Amino acid sequence: MREIVFDTETTGLDNNLDRVIEIGCVELDNRFPTGRFLHHYINAQGRSVHPEAQAVHGISDADLADKPVFGAVLQEFLEFIDGAKLVAHNANFDIGFINAEFDRLGVPPVEPSLVVDTLAIARRKHPMGPNSLDALCRRYGIDNSRRTKHGALLDAELLAEVYIELIGGKQAALGLEISGGGDNAGESALAASVALSARPTPLPPRISEEERAAHEALVEKLGEKSLWHNLRA
């Protein structure tokens, strides 16, 4: 499964008026980085970089004067993302700008079903936050010391590491295989993994008797057809 983790920098916050001025993408295959990436600075075609945006990413109008326009890198970008899911942090912002650039060039917008928002995932997994990219790097022990300012490629590289941690990709990508195992090889591998991971002494319960009683009372109210009732049985 191909996924493209990407980030953009822009002249401002209004995708109807402002323009994409930097795009950075890194490729994941089955949740592992392949080493392939795409990176471009892009001429804003007369739209000046807002001072507040420049304070965030450090890109000036002068930096972009000799860079290609979005249309000049469009085909390369489309080929790079073809057939892949697009992963971004606060994806509505980045996809909104990408789709605005696409619209100006007569290209269909990115299908919402292809977009993965890591901010939404982080908010579900860590509802108490904070869930900025910097905060998630700190949470997962990812070195972001180079990130003195935002940069599309660096942020995409950091986000790829964060994304893998958020979805447990390092563990999910591992597989067990017994060579020449025949029909029961998969079952044997599963049994072996369970045997190896079993604790010699069970951990003590983490809920109180009062909490257990309250849960039992709730399950009784749900009735015999409820999922919780069946699990208890």
Side-chain angles (χ1 to χ4, degrees), residues 185-210:
E187 294 178 7
S188 299
L190 179 59
S193 68
V194 171
L196 288 171
S197 61
R199 290 181 178 273
T201 304
L203 291 173
R206 299 178 65 181
I207 62 173
S208 66
E209 287 303 318
E210 292 78 7

mmCIF file of all heavy atoms in Angstrom, residues 185-210:
data_model
loop_
_atom_site.group_PDB
_atom_site.id
_atom_site.type_symbol
_atom_site.label_atom_id
_atom_site.label_comp_id
_atom_site.label_asym_id
_atom_site.label_seq_id
_atom_site.Cartn_x
_atom_site.Cartn_y
_atom_site.Cartn_z
ATOM 1 N N ALA A 185 0.530 -23.778 9.388
ATOM 2 C CA ALA A 185 1.665 -22.912 9.689
ATOM 3 C C ALA A 185 1.219 -21.624 10.352
ATOM 4 O O ALA A 185 1.823 -21.160 11.315
ATOM 5 C CB ALA A 185 2.440 -22.595 8.401
ATOM 6 N N GLY A 186 0.133 -21.020 9.830
ATOM 7 C CA GLY A 186 -0.336 -19.759 10.406
ATOM 8 C C GLY A 186 -0.780 -19.922 11.837
ATOM 9 O O GLY A 186 -0.466 -19.106 12.710
ATOM 10 N N GLU A 187 -1.510 -21.035 12.112
ATOM 11 C CA GLU A 187 -1.973 -21.281 13.475
ATOM 12 C C GLU A 187 -0.800 -21.524 14.404
ATOM 13 O O GLU A 187 -0.781 -21.077 15.551
ATOM 14 C CB GLU A 187 -2.920 -22.482 13.480
ATOM 15 C CG GLU A 187 -4.229 -22.229 12.732
ATOM 16 C CD GLU A 187 -5.108 -23.468 12.740
ATOM 17 O OE1 GLU A 187 -4.747 -24.440 13.439
ATOM 18 O OE2 GLU A 187 -6.143 -23.447 12.058
ATOM 19 N N SER A 188 0.234 -22.230 13.911
ATOM 20 C CA SER A 188 1.399 -22.494 14.742
ATOM 21 C C SER A 188 2.139 -21.218 15.081
ATOM 22 O O SER A 188 2.597 -21.017 16.197
ATOM 23 C CB SER A 188 2.346 -23.458 14.016
ATOM 24 O OG SER A 188 1.705 -24.688 13.770
ATOM 25 N N ALA A 189 2.253 -20.325 14.086
ATOM 26 C CA ALA A 189 2.931 -19.053 14.324
ATOM 27 C C ALA A 189 2.176 -18.229 15.349
ATOM 28 O O ALA A 189 2.768 -17.617 16.241
ATOM 29 C CB ALA A 189 3.058 -18.272 13.013
ATOM 30 N N LEU A 190 0.837 -18.199 15.221
ATOM 31 C CA LEU A 190 0.035 -17.446 16.177
ATOM 32 C C LEU A 190 0.180 -18.029 17.581
ATOM 33 O O LEU A 190 0.349 -17.308 18.556
ATOM 34 C CB LEU A 190 -1.433 -17.466 15.743
ATOM 35 C CG LEU A 190 -2.417 -16.737 16.670
ATOM 36 C CD1 LEU A 190 -2.012 -15.269 16.808
ATOM 37 C CD2 LEU A 190 -3.833 -16.862 16.152
ATOM 38 N N ALA A 191 0.126 -19.359 17.681
ATOM 39 C CA ALA A 191 0.260 -19.986 18.987
ATOM 40 C C ALA A 191 1.622 -19.693 19.596
ATOM 41 O O ALA A 191 1.741 -19.432 20.792
ATOM 42 C CB ALA A 191 0.061 -21.508 18.854
ATOM 43 N N ALA A 192 2.666 -19.719 18.763
ATOM 44 C CA ALA A 192 4.005 -19.434 19.266
ATOM 45 C C ALA A 192 4.110 -18.015 19.771
ATOM 46 O O ALA A 192 4.707 -17.749 20.810
ATOM 47 C CB ALA A 192 5.034 -19.669 18.153
ATOM 48 N N SER A 193 3.485 -17.053 19.031
ATOM 49 C CA SER A 193 3.569 -15.663 19.456
ATOM 50 C C SER A 193 2.827 -15.448 20.761
ATOM 51 O O SER A 193 3.259 -14.689 21.626
ATOM 52 C CB SER A 193 2.995 -14.742 18.372
ATOM 53 O OG SER A 193 1.595 -14.922 18.247
ATOM 54 N N VAL A 194 1.686 -16.128 20.926
ATOM 55 C CA VAL A 194 0.932 -16.007 22.173
ATOM 56 C C VAL A 194 1.728 -16.583 23.329
ATOM 57 O O VAL A 194 1.806 -16.011 24.417
ATOM 58 C CB VAL A 194 -0.435 -16.708 22.039
ATOM 59 C CG1 VAL A 194 -1.127 -16.770 23.390
ATOM 60 C CG2 VAL A 194 -1.299 -15.975 21.028
ATOM 61 N N ALA A 195 2.354 -17.746 23.099
ATOM 62 C CA ALA A 195 3.119 -18.386 24.162
ATOM 63 C C ALA A 195 4.290 -17.514 24.592
ATOM 64 O O ALA A 195 4.598 -17.394 25.767
ATOM 65 C CB ALA A 195 3.618 -19.745 23.685
ATOM 66 N N LEU A 196 4.950 -16.883 23.635
ATOM 67 C CA LEU A 196 6.102 -16.065 23.963
ATOM 68 C C LEU A 196 5.717 -14.786 24.677
ATOM 69 O O LEU A 196 6.477 -14.257 25.465
ATOM 70 C CB LEU A 196 6.864 -15.711 22.670
ATOM 71 C CG LEU A 196 7.634 -16.854 22.015
ATOM 72 C CD1 LEU A 196 8.153 -16.427 20.657
ATOM 73 C CD2 LEU A 196 8.795 -17.288 22.913
ATOM 74 N N SER A 197 4.509 -14.273 24.383
ATOM 75 C CA SER A 197 4.136 -12.980 24.938
ATOM 76 C C SER A 197 3.356 -13.093 26.247
ATOM 77 O O SER A 197 3.048 -12.087 26.866
ATOM 78 C CB SER A 197 3.285 -12.198 23.923
ATOM 79 O OG SER A 197 2.096 -12.920 23.636
ATOM 80 N N ALA A 198 3.010 -14.297 26.678
ATOM 81 C CA ALA A 198 2.211 -14.452 27.899
ATOM 82 C C ALA A 198 3.006 -14.031 29.128
ATOM 83 O O ALA A 198 4.190 -14.336 29.253
ATOM 84 C CB ALA A 198 1.770 -15.909 28.041
ATOM 85 N N ARG A 199 2.349 -13.312 30.044
ATOM 86 C CA ARG A 199 3.006 -12.886 31.279
ATOM 87 C C ARG A 199 3.012 -14.033 32.287
ATOM 88 O O ARG A 199 1.980 -14.685 32.468
ATOM 89 C CB ARG A 199 2.278 -11.694 31.897
ATOM 90 C CG ARG A 199 2.430 -10.411 31.110
ATOM 91 C CD ARG A 199 1.692 -9.277 31.807
ATOM 92 N NE ARG A 199 1.876 -8.033 31.099
ATOM 93 C CZ ARG A 199 2.901 -7.201 31.288
ATOM 94 N NH1 ARG A 199 3.815 -7.512 32.184
ATOM 95 N NH2 ARG A 199 3.009 -6.093 30.616
ATOM 96 N N PRO A 200 4.128 -14.259 32.963
ATOM 97 C CA PRO A 200 4.154 -15.324 33.973
ATOM 98 C C PRO A 200 3.235 -15.022 35.152
ATOM 99 O O PRO A 200 2.665 -15.918 35.757
ATOM 100 C CB PRO A 200 5.624 -15.360 34.409
ATOM 101 C CG PRO A 200 6.170 -14.021 34.033
ATOM 102 C CD PRO A 200 5.430 -13.605 32.796
ATOM 103 N N THR A 201 3.091 -13.741 35.484
ATOM 104 C CA THR A 201 2.203 -13.319 36.557
ATOM 105 C C THR A 201 1.263 -12.247 36.029
ATOM 106 O O THR A 201 1.732 -11.207 35.563
ATOM 107 C CB THR A 201 3.003 -12.742 37.746
ATOM 108 O OG1 THR A 201 3.954 -13.710 38.182
ATOM 109 C CG2 THR A 201 2.065 -12.365 38.886
ATOM 110 N N PRO A 202 -0.038 -12.483 36.045
ATOM 111 C CA PRO A 202 -0.970 -11.484 35.512
ATOM 112 C C PRO A 202 -0.834 -10.158 36.253
ATOM 113 O O PRO A 202 -0.557 -10.122 37.453
ATOM 114 C CB PRO A 202 -2.353 -12.119 35.759
ATOM 115 C CG PRO A 202 -2.071 -13.574 35.924
ATOM 116 C CD PRO A 202 -0.727 -13.682 36.546
ATOM 117 N N LEU A 203 -1.030 -9.059 35.520
ATOM 118 C CA LEU A 203 -1.004 -7.746 36.151
ATOM 119 C C LEU A 203 -2.228 -7.577 37.048
ATOM 120 O O LEU A 203 -3.302 -8.122 36.754
ATOM 121 C CB LEU A 203 -0.996 -6.646 35.087
ATOM 122 C CG LEU A 203 0.278 -6.525 34.244
ATOM 123 C CD1 LEU A 203 0.056 -5.504 33.143
ATOM 124 C CD2 LEU A 203 1.455 -6.143 35.112
ATOM 125 N N PRO A 204 -2.112 -6.830 38.131
ATOM 126 C CA PRO A 204 -3.284 -6.580 38.979
ATOM 127 C C PRO A 204 -4.307 -5.739 38.235
ATOM 128 O O PRO A 204 -3.952 -4.970 37.332
ATOM 129 C CB PRO A 204 -2.695 -5.815 40.173
ATOM 130 C CG PRO A 204 -1.451 -5.191 39.642
ATOM 131 C CD PRO A 204 -0.906 -6.163 38.649
ATOM 132 N N PRO A 205 -5.592 -5.876 38.555
ATOM 133 C CA PRO A 205 -6.620 -5.081 37.872
ATOM 134 C C PRO A 205 -6.404 -3.598 38.103
ATOM 135 O O PRO A 205 -5.945 -3.177 39.162
ATOM 136 C CB PRO A 205 -7.935 -5.570 38.515
ATOM 137 C CG PRO A 205 -7.527 -6.167 39.819
ATOM 138 C CD PRO A 205 -6.164 -6.733 39.616
ATOM 139 N N ARG A 206 -6.744 -2.779 37.092
ATOM 140 C CA ARG A 206 -6.548 -1.345 37.192
ATOM 141 C C ARG A 206 -7.847 -0.595 37.500
ATOM 142 O O ARG A 206 -7.862 0.618 37.510
ATOM 143 C CB ARG A 206 -5.947 -0.822 35.884
ATOM 144 C CG ARG A 206 -4.585 -1.441 35.577
ATOM 145 C CD ARG A 206 -4.024 -0.956 34.269
ATOM 146 N NE ARG A 206 -3.739 0.472 34.300
ATOM 147 C CZ ARG A 206 -3.259 1.148 33.248
ATOM 148 N NH1 ARG A 206 -3.035 0.515 32.119
ATOM 149 N NH2 ARG A 206 -3.012 2.438 33.346
ATOM 150 N N ILE A 207 -8.932 -1.343 37.716
ATOM 151 C CA ILE A 207 -10.196 -0.695 38.068
ATOM 152 C C ILE A 207 -10.596 -1.122 39.472
ATOM 153 O O ILE A 207 -10.258 -2.206 39.941
ATOM 154 C CB ILE A 207 -11.318 -1.056 37.065
ATOM 155 C CG1 ILE A 207 -11.597 -2.560 37.074
ATOM 156 C CG2 ILE A 207 -10.964 -0.583 35.673
ATOM 157 C CD1 ILE A 207 -12.788 -2.946 36.232
ATOM 158 N N SER A 208 -11.324 -0.238 40.126
ATOM 159 C CA SER A 208 -11.750 -0.526 41.495
ATOM 160 C C SER A 208 -12.997 -1.399 41.487
ATOM 161 O O SER A 208 -13.651 -1.575 40.446
ATOM 162 C CB SER A 208 -12.048 0.784 42.227
ATOM 163 O OG SER A 208 -13.178 1.421 41.644
ATOM 164 N N GLU A 209 -13.328 -1.969 42.649
ATOM 165 C CA GLU A 209 -14.547 -2.773 42.765
ATOM 166 C C GLU A 209 -15.777 -1.921 42.476
ATOM 167 O O GLU A 209 -16.765 -2.407 41.915
ATOM 168 C CB GLU A 209 -14.630 -3.408 44.154
ATOM 169 C CG GLU A 209 -13.647 -4.549 44.371
ATOM 170 C CD GLU A 209 -13.843 -5.649 43.327
ATOM 171 O OE1 GLU A 209 -14.999 -5.997 43.019
ATOM 172 O OE2 GLU A 209 -12.827 -6.156 42.816
ATOM 173 N N GLU A 210 -15.762 -0.649 42.900
ATOM 174 C CA GLU A 210 -16.888 0.247 42.640
ATOM 175 C C GLU A 210 -17.087 0.445 41.136
ATOM 176 O O GLU A 210 -18.222 0.425 40.633
ATOM 177 C CB GLU A 210 -16.669 1.604 43.318
ATOM 178 C CG GLU A 210 -16.717 1.593 44.843
ATOM 179 C CD GLU A 210 -15.433 1.057 45.467
ATOM 180 O OE1 GLU A 210 -14.454 0.816 44.716
ATOM 181 O OE2 GLU A 210 -15.416 0.857 46.692
#
